[in-house]
């Protein structure tokens, strides 16, 4: 009896690998979900993501379905057998061109046997014209050619012919751009409406402007996202197509309930939405970044790009020799404010100069980056003969006119009085005697009379002080301190001016902070929030180290980046596995294997951060 039951159970769960798609003919404004089902199998590893000509393939994780408990009786006793069910892998196929294509056979290894799927033929036809689509997306630049460090406005517009709540959106975002600073626009238009929307599967949040727009005779609800791009090197920047995925609720159909067969049709039935998938793409763009023309001979040092003014303030104006004067030089205007360098003092031979950290105020709007940067320094006159602070000079390149300009401040008049004498000299005089000799006598002594004079030497235990180790250490310590201080100031300045370096340095600390938040969510049993924070921490760390937008990272893109960097394959595999585990837990919460799994993943994330920190990025 028991043997027969077991055989029936095995027969019901035939072991095979099955690939399927909902339909084999689509248009270029649709996407397709490829499902690979490992029926009755526990593969050693997931199948490799297929490479399909004409399609962009994105992994959508895996889940367990059909797992259940089966009770059987053996020798009069009830026993429970677990039927593990099937592992289902999902992939989204986004067509990139029309034609006929083939999904190749995919394979997995389970129980030392290899299982394969059958190839699937697909046909992709042209989509409806842009004017007839109910969803479309456009990406534009404020200019297609610019100079290095010249701000350019990037605008993404997504148009929807139905109300926004009729769509299930997967908001796209730009891929990482090398040597480009991306800044958020601070829109202060109080009359406009804004919406905070998640993008890339909830990995980030952006503020979109919501408005209505008449486009090609059709009224659309429009989501607009604007960014400021500041290129850091010359050349051609290629912007790939931005892809928007969305599910449209086209209507509803009445579902069935258990009471329909008993004459109570519609009492407990529910409405199910009729969903259609849309995939729309923007047109690819290019931005030509030109190098600056050769600078005139009178322009030296690093030249900033933009349009600027300069103001110099100094106080106090009347000092004694050796007393400090605080000088503030403010550069204001439009351009890459944070990267401005300190203006040069034309002549500092009569001053000692000490520079403090610069203070920056920046505003980012649709018109570009504006603000000011104030450089504060201390000048100490070394002679009372100086009567002015020499002019400061600052050079910049104006991209609108194509000319170099140099700002020179007016000299600042100051009064420097002689320093007071530190001590009065000893004055001596003499009287002649008849013998021709002179008698020396003290007329005035500034030192107090009770000071005792000694001719003894500084010795300790029979040795001279200057030969002892601690005396030599006292001489070395100031030098070492100045070296450390110089290194600290140089590093701090670089952190202020170099955004890529600042992100790389702060990546670990930021990721650890996010993981602490994840741990709090775990203690509250908020597993989905925990994994969202975990992915956010990994994205911030990797994005910071590589100076790319953190929001656009996925398991596939991270694997590609690590392979390009030629990182340890085992370490790469661990990072990708953690991404996929987090995606599975976020999108299929029931697939979490055990209660200890989130704790194990948290420990794995901390260990990976420690291992990645050892790499020279």
């Amino acid at each position: 009896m028991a043997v027969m039951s077991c055989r029936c159970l095995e027969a019901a769960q035939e072991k095979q690998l099955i690939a399927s798609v909902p339909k084999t003919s689509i248009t270029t404004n649709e996407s397709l979900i490829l499902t690979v089902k490992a029926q009755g199998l526990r593969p050693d590893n997931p199948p490799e993501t297929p490479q399909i000509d004409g399609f962009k393939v994105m992994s959508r994780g895996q889940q367990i379905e059909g797992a259940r408990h089966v009770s059987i009786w053996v020798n009069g006793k009830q026993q429970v057998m677990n039927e593990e069910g099937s592992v289902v892998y999902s992939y989204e196929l986004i067509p990139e061109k029309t034609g006929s294509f083939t999904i190749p056979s995919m394979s997995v290894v389970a129980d030392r046997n290899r299982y394969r799927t059958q190839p699937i033929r697909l046909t992709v036809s042209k989509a409806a014209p842009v004017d007839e689509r109910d969803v479309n997306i456009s990406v534009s630049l404020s200019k297609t050619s610019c100079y290095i460090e010249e701000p350019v406005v990037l605008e993404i517009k997504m148009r929807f012919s139905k109300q926004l709540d009729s769509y299930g959106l997967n908001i796209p975002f730009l891929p990482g751009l090398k040597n480009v600073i991306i800044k958020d626009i601070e829109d202060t238009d109080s009359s406009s409406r804004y919406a905070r929307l998640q993008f890339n599967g909830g990995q980030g949040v952006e503020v979109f402007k919501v408005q209505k727009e008449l486009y090609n005779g059709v009224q659309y609800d429009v989501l607009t996202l604007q960014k400021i791009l500041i290129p850091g090197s010359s050349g051609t920047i290629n912007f790939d197509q931005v892809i928007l995925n969305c599910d449209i609720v086209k209507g509803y159909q009445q579902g069935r309930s258990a009471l329909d067969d008993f004459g109570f049709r519609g009492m407990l039935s529910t409405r199910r939405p009729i969903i259609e998938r849309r995939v729309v793409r923007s047109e690819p763009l290019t931005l030509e970044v030109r190098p600056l023309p050769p600078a005139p001979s009178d322009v030296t040092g690093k030249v900033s790009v933009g349009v600027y003014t300069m103001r110099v303030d100094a106080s106090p104006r009347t000092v004694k020799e050796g007393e400090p004067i605080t000088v503030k030089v403010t550069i204001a205007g439009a351009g890459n404010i944070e990267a401005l360098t300190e203006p040069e003092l034309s002549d500092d031979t009569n001053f000692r100069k000490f520079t403090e950290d610069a203070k920056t105020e920046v505003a980012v709007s649709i018109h570009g980056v504006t603000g000011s940067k104030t450089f504060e320094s201390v000048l100490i006159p070394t002679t009372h003969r100086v009567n002015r602070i020499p002019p400061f000079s600052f050079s910049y390149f104006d991209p609108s006119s194509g000319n170099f300009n140099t700002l020179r401040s007016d000299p600042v008049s100051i009064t420097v009085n002689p320093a007071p004498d530190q001590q009065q000299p000893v004055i001596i005089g003499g009287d002649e005697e008849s013998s021709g000799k002179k008698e020396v006598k003290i007329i005035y002594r500034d030192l107090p009379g009770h000071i005792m004079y000694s001719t003894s030497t500084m010795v300790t235990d029979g040795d001279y002080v200057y030969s002892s180790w601690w005396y030599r250490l006292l001489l070395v310590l100031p030098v070492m301190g100045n070296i450390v201080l110089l290194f600290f100031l140089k590093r701090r300045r670089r952190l202020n001016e170099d955004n890529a370096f600042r992100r790389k340095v702060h990546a670990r600390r930021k990721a650890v902070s996010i993981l602490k938040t994840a741990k709090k969510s775990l203690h509250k049993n908020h597993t989905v929030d925990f994994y969202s924070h975990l992915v956010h921490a990994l994205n911030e760390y990797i994005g910071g180290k590589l100076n790319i937008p953190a929001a656009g990272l996925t398991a596939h893109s991270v694997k590609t980046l690590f392979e390009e960097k030629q990182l340890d394959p085992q370490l790469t595999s661990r990072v990708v596995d953690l991404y996929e585990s987090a995606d599975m837990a976020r999108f299929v919460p029931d697939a979490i294997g055990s209660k200890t799994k989130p704790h194990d993943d948290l420990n794995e994330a901390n260990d990976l951060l420690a291992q990645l920190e050892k790499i020279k990025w």
Side-chain angles (χ1 to χ4, degrees):
M1 179 71 177
V3 174
M4 291 179 61
S5 299
C6 292
R7 287 178 179 172
C8 291
L9 185 59
E10 290 176 0
Q13 188 72 4
E14 182 181 355
K15 295 183 179 181
Q16 56 183 333
L17 189 66
I18 305 170
S20 61
V21 291
K23 54 184 178 179
T24 57
S25 297
I26 60 173
T27 64
T28 53
N29 68 342
E30 296 178 275
S31 68
L32 203 63
I33 298 298
L34 168 64
T35 301
V36 179
K37 183 176 182 180
Q39 182 173 291
L41 302 175
R42 279 296 182 268
D44 298 338
N45 293 294
E48 292 187 3
T49 301
Q51 302 296 321
I52 308 174
D53 179 45
F55 283 87
K56 180 179 181 180
V57 183
M58 303 175 65
S59 175
R60 292 305 183 192
Q62 64 187 57
Q63 62 181 358
I64 308 295
E65 69 174 26
R68 57 182 177 176
H69 303 293
V70 180
S71 298
I72 63 174
W73 290 86
V74 180
N75 298 328
K77 294 183 179 179
Q78 185 182 23
Q79 295 186 3
V80 177
M81 299 186 65
N82 295 324
E83 184 180 354
E84 294 184 347
S86 304
V87 184
V88 179
Y89 306 94
S90 298
Y91 304 88
E92 183 174 4
L93 311 184
I94 301 173
E96 297 179 325
K97 57 185 179 181
T98 60
S100 296
F101 308 95
T102 300
I103 301 176
S105 175
M106 303 172 65
S107 65
V108 296
V109 175
D111 301 327
R112 299 183 180 180
N113 294 317
R114 182 170 291 276
Y115 298 84
R116 297 182 180 276
T117 65
Q118 294 295 324
I120 301 175
R121 295 284 296 173
L122 297 176
T123 302
V124 181
S125 58
K126 288 185 178 180
V130 174
D131 295 348
E132 299 177 11
R133 294 179 186 172
D134 49 8
V135 179
N136 64 71
I137 183 171
S138 63
V139 180
S140 61
L141 297 170
S142 59
K143 57 186 71 176
T144 57
S145 178
C146 68
Y147 288 100
I148 295 176
E149 291 193 6
E150 182 181 359
V152 177
V153 179
L154 170 72
E155 181 179 78
I156 302 176
K157 277 193 173 184
M158 293 170 284
R159 301 178 180 89
F160 307 91
S161 62
K162 298 180 180 295
Q163 293 184 352
L164 289 177
D165 55 8
S166 299
Y167 299 89
L169 299 178
N170 183 7
I171 301 297
F173 196 66
L174 287 176
L177 299 174
K178 294 183 178 180
N179 298 324
V180 176
I181 299 174
I182 302 177
K183 290 185 174 293
D184 296 327
I185 291 179
E186 303 165 2
D187 204 324
T188 56
D189 185 3
S190 59
S191 61
S192 300
R193 186 163 63 94
Y194 297 90
R196 295 177 60 86
L197 300 177
Q198 293 183 340
F199 60 87
N200 281 352
Q203 297 180 27
V205 176
E206 281 289 352
V207 178
F208 290 79
K209 188 175 183 179
V210 183
Q211 56 190 356
K212 291 188 177 295
E213 179 181 296
L214 190 64
Y215 180 72
N216 290 329
V218 179
Q219 186 77 18
Y220 285 91
D221 282 346
V222 182
L223 295 177
T224 303
L225 178 66
Q226 294 173 324
K227 297 282 185 179
I228 293 290
L229 308 182
I230 303 177
S233 59
S234 59
T236 301
I237 300 177
N238 296 310
F239 295 85
D240 294 333
Q241 291 179 319
V242 178
I243 301 175
L244 170 64
N245 295 300
C246 62
D247 296 328
I248 305 176
V249 181
K250 301 292 291 185
Y252 295 89
Q253 65 180 12
Q254 199 75 15
R256 289 180 55 83
S257 71
L259 298 180
D260 288 352
D261 297 332
F262 297 95
F264 298 98
R265 183 176 178 82
M267 291 189 62
L268 296 180
S269 60
T270 58
R271 292 197 311 161
R272 291 185 299 173
I274 302 173
I275 304 295
E276 285 190 10
R277 195 72 184 274
R278 292 287 187 272
V279 178
V280 292
R281 303 171 181 80
S282 67
E283 295 296 328
L285 296 174
T286 58
L287 176 64
E288 295 293 335
V289 183
R290 293 171 288 174
L292 300 184
S297 58
D298 60 337
V299 175
T300 60
K302 182 181 178 182
V303 178
S304 300
V305 177
V307 180
Y308 302 99
T309 60
M310 180 169 61
R311 186 182 75 250
V312 178
D313 298 311
S315 66
R317 301 288 183 92
T318 301
V319 295
K320 296 177 181 178
E321 181 182 333
E323 291 183 345
I325 301 174
T326 300
V327 180
K328 295 181 179 180
V329 182
T330 301
I331 305 296
N336 191 7
I337 303 295
E338 295 177 340
L340 295 179
T341 56
E342 184 178 7
E344 296 181 356
L345 186 62
S346 58
D347 181 14
D348 60 356
T349 54
N350 295 320
F351 296 92
R352 285 185 294 163
K353 184 181 178 183
F354 301 91
T355 302
E356 300 183 7
D357 292 336
K359 298 178 177 61
T360 305
E361 295 182 1
V362 176
V364 184
S365 68
I366 188 63
H367 304 292
V369 182
T370 58
S372 65
K373 192 169 185 178
T374 301
F375 302 89
E376 185 171 333
S377 58
V378 174
L379 297 180
I380 300 178
T382 57
T383 174
H384 65 276
R385 295 181 179 86
V386 64
N387 58 9
R388 68 174 191 167
I389 296 176
F392 286 85
S393 62
F394 176 79
S395 298
Y396 66 91
F397 176 77
D398 184 353
S400 59
S401 64
N403 297 323
F404 288 89
N405 297 313
T406 299
L407 302 175
R408 288 184 174 85
S409 66
D410 295 329
V412 179
S413 299
I414 58 174
T415 301
V416 180
N417 297 316
D421 294 334
Q422 299 300 318
Q423 63 179 32
Q424 297 295 332
V426 176
I427 303 175
I428 61 174
D431 293 333
E432 294 186 0
E433 295 183 350
S434 58
S435 61
K437 297 181 179 180
K438 296 183 179 180
E439 179 183 359
V440 178
K441 62 181 180 180
I442 297 176
I443 299 176
Y444 175 75
R445 183 192 297 272
D446 186 51
L447 298 176
H450 61 269
I451 294 181
M452 297 181 63
Y453 299 92
S454 172
T455 59
S456 61
T457 58
M458 296 178 65
V459 295
T460 57
D461 297 332
D463 295 328
Y464 289 100
V465 170
Y466 61 79
S467 64
S468 61
W469 66 270
W470 59 266
Y471 182 80
R472 294 176 182 176
L473 182 61
L474 288 177
L475 295 179
V476 175
L477 280 177
V479 178
M480 294 178 61
N482 285 331
I483 294 175
V484 172
L485 181 60
L486 181 63
F487 172 79
F488 174 77
L489 292 176
K490 186 176 180 180
R491 177 183 172 86
R492 188 169 182 180
R493 176 177 294 180
R494 187 179 177 188
L495 285 172
N496 288 334
E497 298 177 354
D498 190 340
N499 184 58
F501 178 72
R502 180 169 62 252
R503 290 189 67 195
K504 183 180 292 186
V505 170
H506 293 164
R508 173 73 186 276
R509 183 172 62 185
K510 194 169 185 178
V512 170
S513 176
I514 297 172
L515 284 179
K516 289 181 180 178
T517 305
K519 190 174 182 180
K520 293 179 182 178
S521 298
L522 186 58
H523 289 161
K524 297 177 182 178
N525 292 324
H526 296 166
T527 307
V528 175
D529 290 344
F530 162 74
Y531 278 104
S532 295
H533 290 309
L534 188 145
V535 170
H536 185 198
L538 292 176
N539 286 352
E540 286 294 339
Y541 181 84
I542 297 172
K545 289 295 184 181
L546 298 178
N547 192 31
I548 60 177
L553 295 177
T554 62
H556 178 72
S557 62
V558 168
K559 182 180 180 181
T560 303
L561 290 170
F562 280 21
E563 288 175 350
E564 291 176 355
K565 288 285 184 180
Q566 297 182 349
L567 300 187
D568 181 11
Q570 184 177 0
L571 184 61
T572 300
S573 177
R574 289 175 60 191
V575 174
V576 172
D577 288 345
L578 185 57
Y579 266 100
E580 292 179 346
S581 176
D583 288 342
M584 177 65 65
R586 288 189 299 159
F587 302 124
V588 190
D590 295 337
I592 300 177
S594 65
K595 293 183 179 180
T596 61
K597 183 68 167 60
H599 295 277
D600 294 340
D601 287 341
L602 179 60
N603 294 333
E604 175 72 355
N606 284 307
D607 185 60
L608 284 174
L609 288 181
Q611 297 296 325
L612 292 171
E613 194 67 16
K614 298 177 182 178
I615 298 173
K616 292 184 179 180
W617 297 88

